Amino acid sequence: QKEVEQDPGPLSVPEGAIVSLNCTYSNSAFQYFMWYRQYSRKGPELLMYTYSSGNKEDGRFTAQVDKSSKYISLFIRDSQPSDSATYLCAIGSARQLTFGSGTQLTVLP
Amino acid sequence: GAVVSQHPSRVICKSGTSVKIECRSLDFQATTMFWYRQFPKQSLMLMATSNEGSKATYEQGVEKDKFLINHASLTLSTLTVTSAHPEDSSFYICSARVQIREKLFFGSGTQLSVL
């Protein structure tokens, strides 16, 4: 079992839709949870960072962490074509950070 | 967020030559920098972790003599691909972290093509 599993997608949604991206993890010692957005042939860009259970909101993005279920989600409201990218979850501890395999999202105009 | 600059963004070289990629933290001092390799439509594969002033720690299966990492200062780490071969062609990305709990910031990546 991989330490971090991410829904592989690809995901295609119409503009304005709510997008849900998800990852699960197996190591209960993991305490840092991040979401990155990566455009093609570019470095990942940090979107959200949290280390506690619950929701964290930043504009159209909401990161949700459920430590009891070892499950994290990223919600994108009012999705835009410019949101089309690959989204990576990154979960870890002070010593180790493990990336999900990425979910490719396409938002259709 | 913090800025990590990576150069060059693209390099094409002949087989057998060496290529150096630079990663700089522009507005913060990075105690730790990481180097990744990424194949098309795949996630990041950690190659090595470098701490300023000490030898890099390589992941299993990564040849340290082939991928030389130098982290000479708190703002600069370099990856040198020595005697490059076509199978080394890939997208290489660096990242930097200020302290052990801090966020990870990525460079823009380097596409290496070995002919």
Side-chain angles (χ1 to χ4, degrees):
Chain A
Q1 181 189 10
K2 290 183 182 178
E3 285 195 301
V4 176
E5 299 265 13
Q6 183 171 359
D7 292 348
L11 199 56
S12 185
V13 302
E15 184 175 355
I18 296 175
V19 176
S20 172
L21 304 165
N22 308 293
C23 287
T24 58
Y25 61 99
S26 57
N27 190 338
S28 58
F30 287 165
Q31 52 189 289
Y32 306 119
F33 309 94
M34 289 170 256
W35 285 96
Y36 287 86
R37 176 174 62 196
Q38 186 178 22
Y39 293 110
S40 181
R41 286 293 166 255
K42 297 291 183 184
E45 171 194 6
L46 180 65
L47 285 177
M48 302 289 283
Y49 170 83
T50 183
Y51 46 86
S52 57
S53 278
N55 294 348
K56 181 176 181 178
E57 191 173 317
D58 184 0
R60 295 185 295 111
F61 298 93
T62 300
Q64 186 177 79
V65 175
D66 183 344
K67 288 187 179 182
S68 62
S69 301
K70 300 191 188 66
Y71 189 90
I72 70 169
S73 298
L74 177 70
F75 298 98
I76 307 174
R77 290 187 301 281
D78 187 24
S79 56
Q80 303 294 310
S82 57
D83 295 328
S84 299
T86 296
Y87 290 80
L88 297 157
C89 64
I91 303 175
S93 62
R95 298 189 66 80
Q96 174 190 354
L97 192 64
T98 302
F99 287 87
S101 54
T103 302
Q104 185 176 346
L105 171 67
T106 301
V107 180
L108 304 170
Chain B
V3 178
V4 175
S5 175
Q6 184 174 344
H7 292 282
S9 58
R10 176 178 288 272
V11 59
I12 301 172
C13 68
K14 291 184 179 179
S15 186
T17 60
S18 293
V19 173
K20 180 184 282 188
I21 303 170
E22 287 191 352
C23 181
R24 291 180 186 274
S25 56
L26 296 186
D27 51 0
F28 66 101
Q29 292 185 324
T31 52
T32 306
M33 288 188 172
F34 304 87
W35 288 95
Y36 303 83
R37 188 171 179 177
Q38 188 176 35
F39 293 103
K41 298 192 185 297
Q42 293 189 24
S43 190
L44 304 168
M45 183 187 78
L46 180 65
M47 298 175 65
T49 302
S50 73
N51 293 295
E52 185 265 340
S54 61
K55 289 186 178 180
T57 302
Y58 290 82
E59 295 300 303
Q60 190 173 9
V62 178
E63 299 175 59
K64 61 180 181 181
D65 294 330
K66 180 164 191 61
F67 299 100
L68 300 179
I69 291 172
N70 184 285
H71 193 161
S73 76
L74 284 170
T75 59
L76 174 64
S77 177
T78 61
L79 168 68
T80 302
V81 183
T82 61
S83 186
H85 289 106
E87 58 265 30
D88 298 325
S89 298
S90 187
F91 192 58
Y92 292 87
I93 310 174
C94 70
S95 69
R97 184 175 65 187
V98 175
Q99 295 177 17
I100 208 161
R101 279 170 61 97
E102 290 295 324
K103 306 162 191 175
L104 206 58
F105 297 97
F106 285 86
S108 53
T110 299
Q111 180 64 51
L112 171 64
S113 300
V114 184
L115 304 178

